[in-house]
Amino acid sequence: MRLQLATWPQVEAYLAHSNSAILPIGSTEQHGPTGLIGTDALCAEAVATRVGDILGVMVAPTIAVGMAQHHMDFPGSMTLRPSTLMAVVRDCLLSLVRHGFQRVLLVNGHGGNVATVQAAFAETQMELDAITPRPDLRTRLLNWWEMPEIDRLSSELYGNSVGHHATPPELALTWALHPETADRRVLEPHLAPRGSFHSAADFRARFPDGRIGSDPSLATPAHGERMLATAAAEIARAAKEFFAAT
Ligand code: NI
């Protein structure tokens, strides 16, 4: 059930029996030479939409640009500064609250968003506290790629080639959604370097093709179907508890 494809009377009818919503959040950033710029947003949206279908919960539009400052040395990457992303998340939550949504699950596709989203949750609660002493908004953030069953499936399929950026699980998922974009060419070195970085230019110097520790040539569209089904089923179980909690 997608908010964008509903009419306002349909949303009104939905709110008469449910106060739950899912808000996908991703990023628009390079994912190595073979991965799509939209990977993190596409994955979050696909998983969130599938969870919404399983649970019959309304899925809001995806926040598709995230905090990706460290990817800005690669063409096509876009970023919001953390303060902007906090404001976007807060305003999206307050818009939903205005209509009666009180349980909002964020399905996230990008590690760089986590700290900012958690800060935005606190900002939103503070703002609601100022209006009413007992606000009933509950928020939760789930990172689809960190779900335990995704971890298990990723190790089973890719062993130590998962890495940390432009990973085979996320590229596989986008290739399941858009098979015409699947680019399985073998990269050199097969396994990208690992390590940390301190700026956009430093990121590109240390990880020249954009990958960190991964070999995305192992991914296939069929793997992506399994990733999507596994992540959606596991997140749906966690979300069901979250939405039902009193
Ligand atoms: Ni990613």
Side-chain angles (χ1 to χ4, degrees), residues 63-84:
I63 300 174
V65 180
M67 218 301 286
Q69 199 279 329
H70 49 294
H71 292 291
M72 290 306 290
D73 225 28
F74 294 88
S77 299
M78 297 172 71
T79 191
L80 299 178
R81 64 192 65 208
S83 55
T84 308

Side-chain angles (χ1 to χ4, degrees), residues 19-168:
N19 62 4
S20 303
I22 299 171
L23 177 58
I25 181 166
S27 183
T28 298
E29 66 186 45
Q30 69 84 15
H31 272 75
T34 55
L36 304 180
I37 300 280
T39 295
D40 293 350
L42 293 167
C43 291
E45 181 165 285
V47 172
T49 304
R50 184 74 67 92
V51 173
D53 289 345
I54 294 170
L55 298 177
V57 168
M58 194 69 81
V59 181
T62 303
I63 300 174
V65 180
M67 218 301 286
Q69 199 279 329
H70 49 294
H71 292 291
M72 290 306 290
D73 225 28
F74 294 88
S77 299
M78 297 172 71
T79 191
L80 299 178
R81 64 192 65 208
S83 55
T84 308
L85 183 58
M86 274 173 64
V88 169
V89 171
R90 184 199 62 205
D91 288 359
C92 287
L93 290 172
L94 292 175
S95 300
L96 294 170
V97 167
R98 172 70 175 74
H99 303 303
F101 290 98
Q102 297 285 2
R103 302 287 179 272
V104 184
L105 171 71
L106 271 74
V107 173
N108 181 33
H110 174 52
N113 289 340
V114 172
T116 306
V117 168
Q118 295 292 2
F121 286 171
E123 279 265 329
T124 308
Q125 289 293 353
M126 281 205 65
E127 189 154 342
L128 291 172
D129 272 349
I131 300 165
T132 166
R134 298 274 180 275
D136 194 30
L137 173 66
R138 294 189 198 185
T139 50
R140 187 161 177 204
L141 177 71
L142 288 177
N143 302 319
W144 78 265
W145 74 95
E146 284 184 344
M147 301 304 289
E149 287 178 27
I150 287 292
D151 251 0
R152 265 196 293 280
L153 180 58
S154 299
S155 325
E156 174 197 318
L157 293 173
Y158 312 120
N160 68 350
S161 303
V162 177
H164 298 289
H165 186 65
T167 68

